[in-house]
Coordinates of all heavy atoms in Angstrom, one line a residue:
M1057 N 15.0 -7.8 11.8 CA 14.0 -6.9 12.5 C 12.9 -7.8 13.2 O 12.4 -7.4 14.2 CB 13.5 -5.9 11.6 CG 14.0 -4.5 11.8 SD 13.5 -3.4 10.6 CE 11.8 -3.0 11.1
G1058 N 12.5 -8.8 12.5 CA 11.4 -9.6 13.1 C 10.1 -9.1 12.5 O 10.0 -8.0 12.0
S1059 N 9.0 -9.8 12.8 CA 7.7 -9.4 12.3 C 7.1 -8.4 13.2 O 7.3 -8.4 14.4 CB 6.8 -10.7 12.1 OG 6.6 -11.3 13.4
K1060 N 6.3 -7.6 12.6 CA 5.5 -6.6 13.4 C 4.2 -7.2 13.9 O 3.5 -7.8 13.1 CB 5.2 -5.4 12.5 CG 4.5 -4.3 13.1 CD 4.3 -3.1 12.2 CE 3.5 -2.1 12.8 NZ 3.2 -1.0 11.9
I1061 N 4.0 -7.1 15.2 CA 2.8 -7.8 15.7 C 1.8 -6.8 16.4 O 0.8 -7.2 17.0 CB 3.2 -8.8 16.8 CG1 4.0 -8.2 17.9 CG2 4.0 -10.0 16.1 CD1 4.3 -9.1 19.1
T1062 N 2.1 -5.5 16.2 CA 1.1 -4.5 16.8 C 0.7 -3.5 15.7 O 1.3 -3.4 14.7 CB 1.8 -3.7 17.9 OG1 2.9 -3.0 17.4 CG2 2.3 -4.6 19.0
I1063 N -0.4 -2.9 16.0 CA -0.9 -1.8 15.2 C -0.5 -0.5 15.9 O -1.0 -0.2 17.0 CB -2.4 -1.9 15.0 CG1 -2.8 -3.2 14.3 CG2 -2.9 -0.7 14.2 CD1 -4.2 -3.4 14.2
D1064 N 0.4 0.3 15.3 CA 0.9 1.5 15.9 C 0.3 2.7 15.3 O -0.5 2.7 14.3 CB 2.4 1.6 15.9 CG 3.0 1.5 14.4 OD1 2.2 1.7 13.5 OD2 4.2 1.2 14.3
S1065 N 0.6 3.9 15.8 CA 0.0 5.1 15.3 C 0.4 5.4 13.8 O -0.4 6.0 13.1 CB 0.5 6.3 16.2 OG 1.9 6.4 16.2
A1066 N 1.6 4.9 13.4 CA 2.0 5.1 12.0 C 1.0 4.3 11.1 O 0.6 4.8 10.0 CB 3.4 4.7 11.8
T1067 N 0.7 3.1 11.5 CA -0.3 2.3 10.7 C -1.6 3.0 10.6 O -2.2 3.1 9.5 CB -0.4 0.9 11.4 OG1 0.8 0.3 11.4 CG2 -1.4 0.0 10.6
L1068 N -2.1 3.5 11.7 CA -3.4 4.2 11.8 C -3.4 5.5 11.0 O -4.3 5.8 10.3 CB -3.8 4.4 13.2 CG -4.1 3.1 14.0 CD1 -4.4 3.5 15.5 CD2 -5.2 2.3 13.4
M1069 N -2.3 6.2 11.0 CA -2.1 7.4 10.2 C -2.1 7.1 8.8 O -2.8 7.8 8.0 CB -0.8 8.2 10.6 CG -0.7 9.5 10.0 SD -2.0 10.6 10.5 CE -1.8 11.9 9.3
N1070 N -1.4 6.1 8.4 CA -1.4 5.6 7.0 C -2.8 5.3 6.5 O -3.2 5.6 5.4 CB -0.5 4.5 6.8 CG -0.3 4.1 5.3 OD1 0.0 5.0 4.5 ND2 -0.5 2.8 5.0
K1071 N -3.6 4.6 7.3 CA -5.0 4.2 7.0 C -5.8 5.5 6.8 O -6.6 5.6 5.9 CB -5.6 3.3 8.0 CG -5.1 1.9 8.0 CD -5.4 1.2 6.7 CE -4.7 -0.1 6.6 NZ -4.7 -0.6 5.3
G1072 N -5.6 6.5 7.6 CA -6.3 7.7 7.5 C -6.0 8.4 6.2 O -6.9 8.9 5.5
L1073 N -4.7 8.4 5.8 CA -4.3 9.0 4.5 C -4.9 8.2 3.3 O -5.3 8.8 2.3 CB -2.8 9.1 4.4 CG -2.1 10.0 5.4 CD1 -0.6 9.9 5.3 CD2 -2.5 11.5 5.1
E1074 N -5.0 6.9 3.5 CA -5.6 6.1 2.4 C -7.1 6.4 2.2 O -7.6 6.3 1.1 CB -5.3 4.6 2.7 CG -3.9 4.2 2.5 CD -3.6 2.8 2.9 OE1 -4.4 2.2 3.5 OE2 -2.4 2.4 2.7
V1075 N -7.8 6.7 3.3 CA -9.2 7.0 3.2 C -9.3 8.3 2.5 O -10.2 8.5 1.6 CB -9.8 7.1 4.7 CG1 -11.2 7.8 4.6 CG2 -9.9 5.8 5.3
I1076 N -8.5 9.3 2.8 CA -8.5 10.6 2.1 C -8.2 10.4 0.6 O -8.9 10.9 -0.2 CB -7.5 11.6 2.8 CG1 -8.0 11.9 4.2 CG2 -7.4 12.8 1.9 CD1 -6.9 12.6 5.0
E1077 N -7.2 9.6 0.3 CA -6.8 9.3 -1.1 C -8.0 8.7 -1.8 O -8.3 9.1 -2.9 CB -5.6 8.4 -1.1 CG -5.1 8.0 -2.4 CD -3.9 7.0 -2.4 OE1 -3.8 6.3 -1.4 OE2 -3.1 7.1 -3.3
A1078 N -8.6 7.6 -1.2 CA -9.7 6.9 -1.9 C -10.9 7.9 -2.1 O -11.5 7.9 -3.2 CB -10.2 5.7 -1.1
R1079 N -11.2 8.7 -1.1 CA -12.3 9.7 -1.2 C -12.1 10.6 -2.5 O -13.0 10.8 -3.2 CB -12.3 10.5 0.0 CG -13.5 11.5 0.1 CD -13.0 12.9 -0.3 NE -14.0 13.9 -0.3 CZ -14.7 14.3 -1.4 NH1 -14.5 13.7 -2.5 NH2 -15.6 15.2 -1.4
W1080 N -10.9 11.1 -2.6 CA -10.6 12.0 -3.8 C -10.5 11.3 -5.1 O -10.9 11.8 -6.1 CB -9.5 12.9 -3.5 CG -9.8 13.9 -2.4 CD1 -9.5 13.9 -1.1 CD2 -10.7 15.1 -2.6 NE1 -10.0 15.0 -0.4 CE2 -10.8 15.7 -1.3 CE3 -11.3 15.7 -3.7 CZ2 -11.5 16.9 -1.1 CZ3 -12.1 16.8 -3.4 CH2 -12.1 17.4 -2.2
L1081 N -9.8 10.2 -5.1 CA -9.6 9.4 -6.4 C -10.8 8.9 -7.0 O -11.0 8.9 -8.2 CB -8.6 8.3 -6.1 CG -7.1 8.6 -6.0 CD1 -6.3 7.3 -5.7 CD2 -6.6 9.2 -7.3
F1082 N -11.8 8.4 -6.1 CA -13.0 7.8 -6.6 C -14.2 8.6 -6.4 O -15.3 8.2 -6.6 CB -13.1 6.4 -6.0 CG -12.0 5.5 -6.3 CD1 -11.0 5.2 -5.3 CD2 -11.8 5.0 -7.5 CE1 -10.0 4.4 -5.6 CE2 -10.8 4.1 -7.8 CZ -9.8 3.8 -6.9
D1083 N -14.1 9.9 -5.9 CA -15.2 10.8 -5.7 C -16.2 10.2 -4.8 O -17.4 10.1 -5.1 CB -15.8 11.3 -7.0 CG -16.7 12.5 -6.9 OD1 -16.5 13.3 -5.9 OD2 -17.6 12.6 -7.7
L1084 N -15.8 9.7 -3.6 CA -16.6 9.1 -2.7 C -16.8 10.0 -1.4 O -16.0 10.9 -1.2 CB -16.1 7.7 -2.2 CG -15.8 6.7 -3.3 CD1 -15.0 5.5 -2.8 CD2 -17.1 6.2 -3.9
T1085 N -17.8 9.7 -0.6 CA -17.8 10.3 0.7 C -17.0 9.4 1.7 O -16.8 8.2 1.4 CB -19.3 10.4 1.2 OG1 -19.8 9.1 1.4 CG2 -20.2 11.2 0.2
A1086 N -16.7 10.0 2.8 CA -15.9 9.2 3.8 C -16.7 8.0 4.2 O -16.1 6.9 4.5 CB -15.5 10.1 4.9
A1087 N -18.0 8.1 4.3 CA -18.9 7.0 4.7 C -18.9 5.8 3.7 O -19.2 4.7 4.1 CB -20.3 7.5 4.9
E1088 N -18.5 6.1 2.5 CA -18.5 5.1 1.5 C -17.2 4.3 1.4 O -17.0 3.3 0.7 CB -18.7 5.7 0.1 CG -20.1 6.2 -0.1 CD -20.3 6.9 -1.4 OE1 -19.6 7.9 -1.7 OE2 -21.2 6.5 -2.2
V1089 N -16.2 4.7 2.3 CA -14.9 4.1 2.3 C -14.8 3.2 3.6 O -15.0 3.8 4.7 CB -13.8 5.1 2.3 CG1 -12.4 4.4 2.3 CG2 -13.8 6.0 1.0
S1090 N -14.5 1.9 3.5 CA -14.4 1.1 4.6 C -12.9 0.8 4.9 O -12.1 0.6 3.9 CB -15.1 -0.3 4.4 OG -16.4 -0.1 4.2
V1091 N -12.5 0.8 6.1 CA -11.1 0.5 6.5 C -11.0 -0.8 7.1 O -11.8 -1.1 8.1 CB -10.6 1.6 7.5 CG1 -9.2 1.3 7.9 CG2 -10.6 3.0 6.8
V1092 N -10.1 -1.6 6.6 CA -9.9 -3.0 7.2 C -8.4 -3.1 7.4 O -7.6 -2.8 6.4 CB -10.4 -4.1 6.3 CG1 -10.1 -5.5 6.8 CG2 -11.9 -3.9 6.0
I1093 N -8.0 -3.5 8.5 CA -6.5 -3.7 8.8 C -6.3 -5.2 8.7 O -6.9 -6.0 9.5 CB -6.1 -3.2 10.1 CG1 -6.3 -1.6 10.1 CG2 -4.7 -3.5 10.4 CD1 -6.0 -1.0 11.4
H1094 N -5.5 -5.6 7.7 CA -5.2 -7.0 7.4 C -4.0 -7.4 8.2 O -2.9 -6.9 7.9 CB -5.1 -7.2 5.9 CG -4.9 -8.7 5.5 ND1 -3.8 -9.2 5.1 CD2 -5.9 -9.7 5.5 CE1 -3.9 -10.5 4.8 NE2 -5.2 -10.8 5.0
P1095 N -4.1 -8.3 9.2 CA -2.9 -8.5 10.1 C -1.7 -9.1 9.4 O -0.6 -8.8 9.7 CB -3.4 -9.6 11.1 CG -4.9 -9.5 11.0 CD -5.3 -9.0 9.7
Q1096 N -1.9 -9.8 8.3 CA -0.8 -10.4 7.6 C -0.2 -9.4 6.5 O 0.8 -9.7 5.9 CB -1.2 -11.7 6.9 CG -1.5 -12.8 7.8 CD -2.8 -12.8 8.5 OE1 -3.7 -12.1 8.0 NE2 -3.1 -13.5 9.5
S1097 N -0.8 -8.3 6.3 CA -0.4 -7.3 5.4 C -0.3 -7.8 3.9 O 0.6 -7.3 3.2 CB 0.9 -6.6 5.8 OG 0.8 -6.1 7.1
V1098 N -1.1 -8.7 3.6 CA -1.0 -9.3 2.2 C -2.0 -8.5 1.3 O -1.6 -8.2 0.1 CB -1.4 -10.8 2.2 CG1 -1.5 -11.3 0.8 CG2 -0.3 -11.6 3.0
I1099 N -3.1 -8.2 1.8 CA -4.1 -7.4 1.0 C -3.8 -5.9 1.1 O -3.8 -5.4 2.2 CB -5.6 -7.7 1.4 CG1 -5.9 -9.2 1.2 CG2 -6.5 -6.8 0.6 CD1 -7.2 -9.6 1.8
H1100 N -3.5 -5.3 0.0 CA -3.1 -3.9 0.0 C -4.3 -2.9 -0.3 O -4.3 -1.8 0.1 CB -1.9 -3.6 -0.9 CG -0.7 -4.4 -0.5 ND1 0.0 -4.1 0.7 CD2 -0.1 -5.5 -1.0 CE1 1.0 -4.9 0.8 NE2 1.0 -5.8 -0.2
S1101 N -5.2 -3.4 -1.1 CA -6.4 -2.6 -1.5 C -7.4 -3.6 -2.0 O -7.1 -4.6 -2.6 CB -6.0 -1.5 -2.5 OG -5.6 -2.1 -3.7
M1102 N -8.7 -3.2 -1.9 CA -9.8 -3.9 -2.4 C -10.8 -2.9 -2.9 O -11.1 -1.9 -2.2 CB -10.5 -4.8 -1.4 CG -9.6 -5.9 -0.9 SD -10.3 -6.8 0.5 CE -11.6 -7.7 -0.4
V1103 N -11.4 -3.2 -4.1 CA -12.5 -2.3 -4.6 C -13.7 -3.2 -4.9 O -13.5 -4.2 -5.7 CB -12.0 -1.5 -5.9 CG1 -13.1 -0.7 -6.5 CG2 -10.8 -0.7 -5.6
E1104 N -14.8 -2.8 -4.4 CA -16.0 -3.5 -4.8 C -16.7 -2.8 -5.9 O -17.0 -1.6 -5.8 CB -17.0 -3.6 -3.6 CG -18.2 -4.4 -3.8 CD -19.1 -4.5 -2.6 OE1 -18.8 -3.9 -1.6 OE2 -20.2 -5.1 -2.8
M1105 N -17.0 -3.5 -7.0 CA -17.6 -3.0 -8.2 C -19.1 -2.9 -8.0 O -19.7 -3.5 -7.1 CB -17.2 -3.8 -9.4 CG -15.8 -3.9 -9.6 SD -15.0 -2.3 -9.8 CE -13.5 -2.7 -10.4
I1106 N -19.8 -2.2 -8.9 CA -21.2 -2.1 -8.9 C -21.9 -3.4 -8.9 O -22.9 -3.6 -8.2 CB -21.7 -1.2 -10.1 CG1 -21.2 0.2 -9.9 CG2 -23.2 -1.2 -10.2 CD1 -21.5 1.1 -11.1
D1107 N -21.4 -4.4 -9.6 CA -22.0 -5.7 -9.7 C -21.7 -6.6 -8.5 O -22.1 -7.8 -8.4 CB -21.6 -6.4 -11.0 CG -20.1 -6.8 -11.1 OD1 -19.4 -6.5 -10.1 OD2 -19.7 -7.4 -12.1
G1108 N -21.0 -6.1 -7.5 CA -20.7 -6.9 -6.3 C -19.3 -7.6 -6.4 O -18.9 -8.2 -5.3
S1109 N -18.7 -7.7 -7.5 CA -17.4 -8.3 -7.6 C -16.4 -7.5 -6.9 O -16.5 -6.3 -6.8 CB -17.0 -8.6 -9.1 OG -16.9 -7.4 -9.8
V1110 N -15.3 -8.1 -6.4 CA -14.2 -7.4 -5.7 C -12.9 -7.6 -6.4 O -12.6 -8.8 -6.7 CB -14.2 -7.9 -4.2 CG1 -13.0 -7.2 -3.5 CG2 -15.5 -7.7 -3.5
I1111 N -12.2 -6.6 -6.6 CA -10.8 -6.7 -7.1 C -9.9 -6.3 -6.0 O -10.0 -5.2 -5.4 CB -10.6 -5.7 -8.3 CG1 -11.6 -6.1 -9.5 CG2 -9.2 -5.7 -8.8 CD1 -11.5 -5.2 -10.7
A1112 N -8.9 -7.1 -5.8 CA -7.9 -6.9 -4.7 C -6.5 -6.8 -5.2 O -6.2 -7.6 -6.2 CB -8.0 -8.0 -3.6
E1113 N -5.7 -6.0 -4.6 CA -4.3 -6.0 -4.9 C -3.6 -6.7 -3.7 O -3.7 -6.3 -2.6 CB -3.7 -4.5 -5.0 CG -2.2 -4.5 -5.2 CD -1.7 -3.1 -5.0 OE1 -2.4 -2.1 -4.8 OE2 -0.5 -3.0 -5.2
M1114 N -2.9 -7.8 -4.1 CA -2.3 -8.6 -3.0 C -0.9 -8.9 -3.3 O -0.5 -9.2 -4.5 CB -3.1 -9.9 -2.9 CG -4.6 -9.7 -2.5 SD -5.6 -11.2 -2.7 CE -4.8 -12.3 -1.6
A1115 N -0.1 -8.8 -2.3 CA 1.4 -9.2 -2.5 C 2.0 -9.3 -1.1 O 1.4 -8.8 -0.1 CB 2.1 -8.0 -3.2
I1116 N 3.1 -10.0 -1.0 CA 3.8 -10.2 0.3 C 4.3 -8.8 0.7 O 4.7 -8.0 -0.2 CB 4.9 -11.2 0.2 CG1 5.9 -10.8 -0.9 CG2 4.4 -12.6 0.0 CD1 7.2 -11.7 -0.8
P1117 N 4.3 -8.5 2.0 CA 4.8 -7.2 2.4 C 6.3 -7.1 2.3 O 7.1 -7.8 3.0 CB 4.4 -7.1 3.9 CG 4.2 -8.5 4.3 CD 3.8 -9.3 3.1
D1118 N 6.8 -6.4 1.3 CA 8.2 -6.3 1.0 C 8.5 -4.9 0.4 O 7.8 -4.5 -0.5 CB 8.6 -7.4 0.0 CG 10.1 -7.4 -0.3 OD1 10.9 -6.7 0.3 OD2 10.5 -8.1 -1.2
M1119 N 9.4 -4.2 1.0 CA 9.7 -2.8 0.6 C 10.8 -2.8 -0.5 O 11.2 -1.7 -0.8 CB 10.1 -2.0 1.8 CG 9.0 -1.7 2.8 SD 7.6 -0.9 2.0 CE 8.3 0.7 1.7
A1120 N 11.3 -3.9 -1.0 CA 12.3 -3.9 -2.0 C 12.0 -3.1 -3.2 O 12.8 -2.3 -3.7 CB 12.8 -5.3 -2.3
I1121 N 10.7 -3.3 -3.7 CA 10.3 -2.6 -5.0 C 10.3 -1.1 -4.7 O 10.8 -0.3 -5.5 CB 9.1 -3.2 -5.5 CG1 9.3 -4.6 -6.0 CG2 8.5 -2.3 -6.7 CD1 8.1 -5.4 -6.4
P1122 N 9.6 -0.6 -3.7 CA 9.5 0.9 -3.5 C 10.9 1.5 -3.3 O 11.2 2.6 -3.8 CB 8.7 1.0 -2.2 CG 7.8 -0.2 -2.2 CD 8.7 -1.3 -2.8
V1123 N 11.8 0.8 -2.6 CA 13.2 1.2 -2.4 C 13.9 1.3 -3.7 O 14.6 2.3 -4.0 CB 13.9 0.3 -1.4 CG1 15.4 0.7 -1.4 CG2 13.4 0.5 0.0
C1124 N 13.7 0.3 -4.6 CA 14.4 0.4 -5.9 C 13.9 1.5 -6.7 O 14.7 2.2 -7.4 CB 14.2 -1.0 -6.6 SG 15.1 -2.3 -5.9
V1125 N 12.6 1.7 -6.7 CA 12.0 2.8 -7.5 C 12.5 4.2 -7.0 O 13.0 5.0 -7.8 CB 10.4 2.8 -7.4 CG1 9.9 4.1 -8.0 CG2 9.9 1.6 -8.1
C1126 N 12.6 4.4 -5.7 CA 13.1 5.6 -5.2 C 14.5 5.8 -5.5 O 15.0 6.9 -5.9 CB 12.9 5.7 -3.7 SG 11.2 5.8 -3.2
A1127 N 15.3 4.7 -5.4 CA 16.7 4.8 -5.7 C 17.0 5.1 -7.2 O 17.8 5.9 -7.6 CB 17.4 3.5 -5.4
R1128 N 16.2 4.5 -8.1 CA 16.3 4.8 -9.5 C 15.9 6.2 -9.9 O 16.6 6.9 -10.6 CB 15.4 3.8 -10.3 CG 15.9 2.5 -10.4 CD 16.9 2.3 -11.5 NE 17.4 1.0 -11.6 CZ 18.6 0.7 -12.0 NH1 19.4 1.6 -12.3 NH2 18.9 -0.6 -12.1
V1129 N 14.8 6.7 -9.3 CA 14.3 8.1 -9.6 C 15.3 9.1 -9.1 O 15.6 10.1 -9.7 CB 12.9 8.3 -9.0 CG1 12.5 9.7 -9.1 CG2 11.9 7.4 -9.8
S1130 N 15.9 8.9 -7.9 CA 16.8 9.8 -7.3 C 18.2 9.8 -7.9 O 19.0 10.7 -7.6 CB 16.9 9.6 -5.8 OG 17.6 8.4 -5.5
G1131 N 18.5 8.7 -8.6 CA 19.8 8.6 -9.2 C 20.8 7.9 -8.3 O 22.0 7.8 -8.6
A1132 N 20.3 7.5 -7.1 CA 21.2 6.8 -6.2 C 21.7 5.4 -6.7 O 22.7 4.9 -6.3 CB 20.5 6.6 -4.8
A1133 N 20.9 4.8 -7.6 CA 21.2 3.5 -8.2 C 21.8 3.7 -9.5 O 21.4 3.2 -10.5 CB 20.0 2.6 -8.2
A1134 N 22.8 4.6 -9.6 CA 23.4 4.9 -10.9 C 24.2 3.7 -11.5 O 24.4 3.6 -12.7 CB 24.3 6.1 -10.8
D1135 N 24.7 2.8 -10.6 CA 25.5 1.7 -11.1 C 24.7 0.4 -10.7 O 23.7 0.4 -10.0 CB 26.9 1.7 -10.6 CG 27.0 1.6 -9.0 OD1 25.9 1.4 -8.4 OD2 28.0 1.9 -8.5
D1136 N 25.3 -0.7 -11.2 CA 24.6 -2.0 -11.0 C 24.9 -2.6 -9.6 O 24.2 -3.6 -9.2 CB 25.0 -3.0 -12.0 CG 24.5 -2.7 -13.4 OD1 23.4 -2.0 -13.4 OD2 25.1 -3.1 -14.4
S1137 N 25.8 -2.0 -8.8 CA 26.1 -2.6 -7.5 C 24.9 -2.5 -6.6 O 24.6 -3.4 -5.8 CB 27.3 -1.9 -6.9 OG 27.0 -0.5 -6.7
F1138 N 24.1 -1.4 -6.6 CA 22.9 -1.2 -5.8 C 21.9 -2.2 -6.2 O 21.2 -2.8 -5.4 CB 22.4 0.2 -5.9 CG 21.2 0.5 -5.1 CD1 21.3 0.8 -3.7 CD2 19.9 0.4 -5.6 CE1 20.2 1.0 -2.9 CE2 18.8 0.6 -4.8 CZ 18.9 0.9 -3.5
E1139 N 21.7 -2.3 -7.5 CA 20.7 -3.2 -8.1 C 21.0 -4.7 -7.6 O 20.1 -5.4 -7.3 CB 20.6 -3.1 -9.6 CG 19.5 -3.9 -10.2 CD 19.3 -3.5 -11.7 OE1 19.4 -2.4 -12.0 OE2 19.1 -4.5 -12.4
A1140 N 22.2 -5.1 -7.7 CA 22.5 -6.4 -7.3 C 22.3 -6.7 -5.8 O 21.9 -7.8 -5.4 CB 24.0 -6.7 -7.7
A1141 N 22.6 -5.6 -5.0 CA 22.4 -5.8 -3.5 C 21.0 -6.0 -3.1 O 20.7 -6.7 -2.2 CB 23.0 -4.6 -2.8
I1142 N 20.0 -5.3 -3.8 CA 18.6 -5.4 -3.5 C 17.8 -6.3 -4.4 O 16.7 -6.6 -4.2 CB 18.0 -4.0 -3.4 CG1 18.7 -3.2 -2.3 CG2 16.6 -4.0 -3.1 CD1 18.1 -1.9 -2.0
T1143 N 18.4 -6.7 -5.5 CA 17.7 -7.4 -6.6 C 16.5 -6.7 -7.1 O 15.4 -7.1 -7.0 CB 17.3 -8.8 -6.2 OG1 16.4 -8.8 -5.1 CG2 18.6 -9.7 -5.8
C1144 N 16.8 -5.5 -7.6 CA 15.7 -4.7 -8.2 C 15.2 -5.2 -9.5 O 16.0 -5.7 -10.3 CB 16.2 -3.2 -8.5 SG 16.7 -2.4 -7.0

């Protein structure tokens, strides 16, 4: 497929949903949530603590784990052939 080099409406919609999620999960106002689009897609989330320290969730952009979780939960990966194909 190649690398994605543009920010499309799906990316922006996802960011909007993440703002809503952060607002409700952490009982914040929308003004307290900052949106940053990381071009390399390595940083998935960052939280600034009261003392100023920052905790970040970072990983290479790879959908293999979410696909494996969905397949396991749905029962689609009932045998080991699926697991071997995706390396879950």
Side-chain angles (χ1 to χ4, degrees):
M1057 254 172 81
S1059 61
K1060 182 177 174 180
I1061 58 171
T1062 62
I1063 298 171
D1064 57 18
S1065 58
T1067 301
L1068 295 176
M1069 184 63 191
N1070 187 51
K1071 288 295 170 197
L1073 293 172
E1074 289 172 351
V1075 169
I1076 294 168
E1077 179 183 30
R1079 183 262 178 264
W1080 288 103
L1081 281 175
F1082 300 106
D1083 194 27
L1084 302 170
T1085 65
E1088 293 175 299
V1089 179
S1090 298
V1091 175
V1092 177
I1093 297 176
H1094 187 254
Q1096 292 81 17
S1097 300
V1098 174
I1099 300 173
H1100 299 288
S1101 64
M1102 295 174 71
V1103 177
E1104 184 177 359
M1105 303 302 194
I1106 294 172
D1107 66 358
S1109 62
V1110 177
I1111 296 175
E1113 176 189 1
M1114 301 169 59
I1116 58 170
D1118 184 6
M1119 291 302 292
I1121 293 172
V1123 168
C1124 288
V1125 170
C1126 291
R1128 286 274 183 214
V1129 170
S1130 69
D1135 60 12
D1136 290 335
S1137 61
F1138 181 83
E1139 188 170 318
I1142 297 191
T1143 62
C1144 298

